[in-house]
Amino acid sequence: MEQTALKQLASRLSLEEKVGQLVQVTPDFFGNQGEITGPLRQGADQQKLYQIGSVLGTHRAQEVQQIQETYLANSRHKIPLLFMADVIHGYETIFPIPLALASSFDSELIQKVARSSAVEATKEGIHVTFSPMADYVKDPRWGRVLESNGEDVRLSTELTKAYVRGYQGNDLKDETSLAACVKHFIGYGAAEGGRDYNTVDLSDIELYQNYLPAFEGAISEGVRLVMTSFNSIHGVPVTANKTLIQTVLRGKLGFEGILISDWAAIAELKDHRVAENSREAAKKAFEASVDIDMMTDCYSQELADLVEETESMEALDAAVWRVLQLKNELGLFENPYRGMKTTVDKKELNEVAYEAATRSAVLLKNEQVLPLKKEERILVVGTKATSTDVLGAWSWIGDCHAAVSLAEGMKKEFPHLTILSVAEETVEWSAIEEAARQADKVVIAVGETSEEAGEAASRTDLRLREIEQTLIDRVFKHNTNSILLTFSGRPLVLTEVEPKVKAIISAWFLGSQTGSVLSALLSGAQNFSGHLPMSYPRSVGQLPYSYQEMSTGRPKTSENADQKYISRYLDEENGPLYAFGHGLSYSQFTYSALELSAKQLQKNGQLTLSVTIKNDSKQAGYALPQIYFQDEFTEVIRPKRELLAWQQVNLQPGEKQMVQFVIEPDDLAYVHSNLRRTTDPGAFRLFLGTSAVDILSETKITFVG
Ligand code: GLC
């Protein structure tokens, strides 16, 4: 629709109809079942139903068709509804959870997964996805690390940008494009105690340094919506935080798109006790420029009067305009049923799901026990051995019963396979021990159910279940050639079981192709290439933890470990069991020392780091050279080591390749006490590593400034 026509349409809306465009409800208000992803409160009342602006949580195109037809038949101005959904890691073809996808360290792969998700979701009539989740995380007690890109701000920013590119494509008029909604603005991952929905208290330096960049990245890629988070910042719930939103999101970041509340977050301002009633809640949210009220009646009941009372029609018109603009950009006025006639190549989607799962599994330990040989007698045993609960939380309409379990996948590759599922009520230890004795190798499959990770799934104990630890102990007594394979939406605490197994694989939740992929990885038909985007702690007592340990006044070093007055625990090491960036392969790689194109980095200049990598093995594989750096002396404390660059390098057997990283002054910047991100002149240490702790070589440069 032409802009003038759209402006004329907007001018014809009554006050009530304008407010209606800012209200979002679930499909049940239209008599359809849908996805309920939060506590049910009163949404819009029925008589205002044909004025609302959007619906969230539909499953199939025919629901969208039926709701849209009914709505248009009953609405005065025939403004089509927007349909939104949580397309987090796939729609029906389910990809690995985002934390698993982040293990690929591969932006192109992420973009491909997002594109594939968009094709399937738009076919079912969805226009907007509540993704990417850009929360910075350091605490795996918080179940939503499952949806994040992990603990490094640079990795998270690059992957967040890739999701937006994949979902939105080059033109939202393309009916396979999904408008993206980056979330949760901001700080949600810092919930105290790792307990979901708990209080957050962050310094501005930390907020600007680690929490904002992924949102800046999404906005630089043209993300169309931002979702407010449930938590407070500076003591004010974000959904009512006018200063934060106006100064930072709309001001500093220049976001001009739609701001949508999280589920019921406006009404929950009353639970935060910063609003006495719905009117005050609506007032605070609207003044903070929250455009869409997700699933409460605050706007639908209160906003019209508020706008009249406070003479804020201009602000209302601006919010409505943002919603109408998005509808127009998506082509909904020309085709309210966009996307439904596109074609989806399910075979291609499954191939992408297979590739993504292969790139997301992480081999944490392997003492010459993998790959398995086809002629070996293999026992697969555990709580997850035959489970198809492998999709993980937020797997929309993915059908886990259609997913391939580990055992099903292995049956195709291993002729001498014994499969024993383990459940509390039916476990037969003697049978398991006998089977372990008879086997050449034992694959122990354990871990979380999809209910135990994700939203509202915080945990204080990240160890395996009692029965799973007992299983490992009992197998260990009879067969030391065991491989521990964990399914989880977060890093687990494996410290106690690690010595009792010869290999460990983090299978996260890998999606629809889980069993086929894991079987291929176990047999060596496929090679591991995943690396940890989040540290595996030794104990929950270390949390929150990130590899970016800041310099302190009494650091523990290799020289002073026997001293008393240093920063350490009496009962645990400081470092993680497995570090950020760690991941093994069946291939063996050798790396040259880091070479520099220059020792000095000039202002507005750049320099190149080079490293040559050789695949010394007989198996093709990906190497992931990681460049870390340390700014030697800084105005505010900075990490001892932070990720600067990385690259997945696919090498054939015997192949050698030079990899180059171009460094510019801005790459070395940090947020100073004035909240500006700038680079100090001075010395920088550069490290080549295969993880945040496995450093192969080091060099030094000086930024002249
Ligand atoms: C949920 C989540 C949010 C999701 C929204 C809609 O409570 O916090 O991530 O997108 O509601 O389902």
Side-chain angles (χ1 to χ4, degrees):
M1 183 187 285
E2 289 301 315
Q3 290 294 293
T4 42
L6 193 63
K7 280 195 171 36
Q8 284 162 359
L9 171 61
S11 67
R12 292 197 296 272
L13 298 183
S14 70
L15 173 56
E16 287 290 343
E17 288 164 339
K18 289 177 183 176
V19 169
Q21 285 298 312
L22 309 187
V23 176
Q24 180 175 90
V25 297
T26 42
D28 46 295
F29 284 84
F30 289 90
N32 285 64
Q33 94 282 356
E35 198 78 13
I36 303 300
T37 55
L40 271 184
R41 289 176 179 248
Q42 178 57 34
D45 38 29
Q46 287 297 339
Q47 69 265 25
K48 295 181 181 174
L49 195 56
Y50 296 106
Q51 296 171 349
I52 70 163
S54 58
V55 170
L56 81 157
T58 50
H59 283 167
R60 289 290 183 195
Q62 61 269 27
E63 288 165 44
V64 172
Q65 179 102 18
Q66 186 271 314
I67 293 170
Q68 191 77 288
E69 280 170 352
T70 310
Y71 178 88
L72 293 175
N74 289 279
S75 77
R76 191 160 75 102
H77 296 288
K78 316 287 178 211
I79 301 174
L81 289 164
L82 269 174
F83 286 86
M84 307 190 189
D86 292 281
V87 186
I88 308 296
H89 53 113
Y91 192 83
E92 183 166 24
T93 304
I94 302 303
F95 303 95
I97 56 173
L99 188 62
L101 287 167
S103 306
S104 70
F105 279 69
D106 188 331
S107 300
E108 282 176 26
L109 178 68
I110 298 288
Q111 187 168 330
K112 194 193 293 186
V113 166
R115 184 92 292 274
S116 303
S117 304
V119 166
E120 206 169 47
T122 50
K123 175 72 178 172
E124 298 297 341
I126 302 301
H127 308 136
V128 175
T129 176
F130 297 126
S131 176
M133 191 259 218
D135 293 287
Y136 174 71
V137 296
K138 305 198 307 188
D139 195 334
R141 291 174 297 177
W142 188 52
R144 302 199 77 168
V145 300
L146 173 146
E147 305 164 61
S148 77
N149 295 312
E151 71 191 46
D152 182 81
V153 60
R154 281 179 168 80
L155 177 65
S156 179
T157 300
E158 288 313 306
L159 300 188
T160 297
K161 290 164 69 175
Y163 276 107
V164 175
R165 291 194 299 269
Y167 288 134
Q168 297 192 162
N170 300 320
D171 179 1
L172 286 189
K173 282 277 190 299
D174 176 337
E175 295 201 358
T176 65
S177 291
L178 265 184
C181 173
V182 65
K183 68 186 185 185
H184 306 81
F185 189 85
I186 192 167
Y188 186 17
E192 284 181 5
R195 196 176 80 231
D196 208 353
Y197 316 123
N198 201 11
T199 306
V200 167
D201 198 1
L202 286 172
S203 70
D204 275 343
I205 286 188
E206 178 65 2
L207 191 69
Y208 278 62
Q209 177 66 48
N210 286 320
Y211 289 81
L212 271 180
F215 287 90
E216 288 176 273
I219 291 165
S220 73
E221 292 291 342
V223 73
R224 294 302 195 277
L225 298 94
V226 171
M227 183 187 291
T228 62
S229 55
F230 292 117
N231 58 283
S232 51
I233 288 284
H234 307 143
V236 180
V238 172
T239 305
N241 199 322
K242 181 177 178 181
T243 307
L244 183 72
I245 291 172
Q246 299 295 355
T247 312
V248 180
L249 180 63
R250 301 252 191 230
K252 172 181 165 55
L253 272 53
F255 178 65
E256 295 176 345
I258 294 173
L259 184 61
I260 183 170
S261 78
D262 200 340
W263 183 291
I266 294 179
E268 290 171 4
L269 295 176
K270 294 179 278 185
D271 302 276
H272 280 281
R273 296 193 297 111
V274 296
E276 281 187 48
N277 50 46
S278 294
R279 170 163 294 220
E280 193 178 1
K283 183 172 187 295
K284 287 194 168 187
F286 191 66
E287 285 175 352
S289 92
V290 174
D291 296 314
I292 297 180
D293 176 2
M294 183 192 293
M295 270 307 282
T296 87
D297 60 355
C298 294
Y299 276 13
S300 62
Q301 297 299 339
E302 307 294 347
L303 192 53
D305 291 349
L306 273 169
V307 164
E308 285 190 320
E309 207 177 274
T310 57
E311 296 173 357
S312 47
M313 185 61 78
E314 192 180 333
L316 178 62
D317 287 340
V320 173
W321 183 247
R322 287 190 281 268
V323 173
L324 295 180
Q325 277 280 60
L326 179 61
K327 294 184 176 185
N328 196 35
E329 207 183 344
L330 287 161
L332 290 180
F333 290 100
E334 290 75 22
N335 178 10
Y337 308 99
R338 89 190 271 278
M340 299 184 191
K341 292 190 172 31
T342 55
T343 52
V344 175
D345 180 342
K346 292 285 187 186
K347 180 175 176 298
E348 186 185 336
L349 291 181
N350 281 318
E351 285 166 2
V352 175
Y354 186 95
E355 178 193 1
T358 305
R359 301 286 310 281
S360 301
V362 185
L363 181 58
L364 297 173
K365 174 182 183 182
N366 184 20
E367 290 172 347
Q368 286 79 43
V369 72
L370 287 175
L372 303 175
K373 297 179 182 63
K374 297 209 188 285
E375 61 275 14
E376 288 178 316
R377 294 166 300 165
I378 310 290
L379 166 64
V380 183
V381 61
T383 51
K384 301 286 283 191
T386 58
S387 168
T388 56
D389 179 16
V390 293
L391 303 184
W394 294 110
S395 52
W396 209 243
I397 63 169
D399 175 6
C400 66
H401 302 295
V404 181
S405 73
L406 171 66
E408 273 314 302
M410 290 183 75
K411 277 179 189 168
K412 298 170 193 149
E413 303 233 11
F414 298 97
H416 313 296
L417 193 62
T418 303
I419 300 166
L420 290 176
S421 179
V422 169
E424 302 277 353
E425 58 285 353
T426 60
V427 62
E428 285 189 26
W429 292 119
S430 55
I432 290 171
E433 291 178 353
E434 177 54 27
R437 267 196 294 277
Q438 298 298 326
D440 295 313
K441 292 178 184 168
V442 183
V443 176
I444 303 172
V446 293
E448 294 185 309
T449 66
S450 46
E451 294 303 311
E452 290 172 318
E455 184 173 2
S458 307
R459 294 175 59 192
T460 60
D461 184 350
L462 301 183
R463 291 173 300 172
L464 297 172
R465 285 180 183 75
E466 195 63 41
I467 190 171
E468 293 168 335
Q469 296 185 46
T470 303
L471 171 62
I472 292 164
D473 290 342
R474 286 175 178 263
V475 167
F476 183 60
K477 272 196 296 199
H478 303 283
N479 192 324
T480 57
N481 283 328
S482 57
I483 297 98
L484 177 64
L485 195 151
T486 61
F487 292 84
S488 68
R490 57 178 24 114
L492 299 173
V493 172
L494 302 175
T495 314
E496 292 162 21
V497 299
E498 187 274 334
K500 301 168 189 169
V501 294
K502 282 191 177 166
I504 300 177
I505 296 166
S506 171
W508 305 117
F509 286 104
L510 290 177
S512 309
Q513 296 293 319
T514 294
S516 316
V517 165
L518 288 175
S519 184
L521 287 167
L522 286 166
S523 72
Q526 292 289 348
N527 197 353
F528 287 93
S529 59
H531 291 254
L532 291 180
M534 201 171 178
S535 310
Y536 265 59
R538 307 184 70 84
S539 156
V540 285
Q542 296 173 303
L543 300 177
Y545 174 84
S546 150
Y547 84 90
Q548 289 197 6
E549 291 187 50
M550 306 296 262
S551 292
T552 58
R554 295 188 174 182
K556 178 182 175 187
T557 66
S558 47
E559 290 77 40
N560 68 7
D562 56 344
Q563 286 179 26
K564 178 179 173 69
Y565 299 105
I566 56 172
S567 181
R568 66 189 171 94
Y569 299 104
L570 294 179
D571 57 355
E572 188 50 273
E573 293 181 35
N574 286 5
L577 180 65
Y578 294 112
F580 172 88
H582 172 70
L584 302 178
S585 164
Y586 290 141
S587 306
Q588 285 77 44
F589 301 106
T590 47
Y591 294 77
S592 72
L594 265 179
E595 287 175 26
L596 291 170
S597 60
K599 277 281 187 192
Q600 289 200 332
L601 178 59
Q602 305 298 329
K603 189 171 185 172
N604 304 323
Q606 55 183 227
L607 62 78
T608 302
L609 292 177
S610 304
V611 58
T612 299
I613 308 169
K614 185 167 180 291
N615 180 350
D616 294 324
S617 70
K618 294 186 171 51
Q619 175 140 14
Y622 282 91
L624 182 73
Q626 300 154 46
I627 304 296
Y628 293 87
F629 79 102
Q630 181 194 82
D631 185 339
E632 273 209 317
F633 294 98
T634 50
E635 184 225 18
V636 295
I637 55 167
R638 294 296 304 139
K640 298 169 196 165
R641 197 172 285 156
E642 52 182 305
L643 183 66
L644 176 60
W646 63 93
Q647 189 177 328
Q648 282 280 15
V649 186
N650 195 357
L651 294 171
Q652 295 306 311
E655 184 184 359
K656 189 191 295 189
Q657 200 179 113
M658 178 191 278
V659 182
Q660 296 193 310
F661 301 94
V662 176
I663 311 295
E664 298 179 346
D666 284 353
D667 297 327
L668 304 173
Y670 66 90
V671 175
H672 289 60
S673 54
N674 62 6
L675 298 183
R676 290 204 183 87
R677 187 182 293 274
T678 52
T679 305
D680 297 345
F684 291 81
R685 297 169 65 191
L686 299 175
F687 309 90
L688 168 66
T690 53
S691 80
V693 298
D694 299 303
I695 299 303
L696 304 174
S697 64
E698 175 179 344
T699 185
K700 215 170 193 177
I701 62 170
T702 303
F703 172 51
V704 178

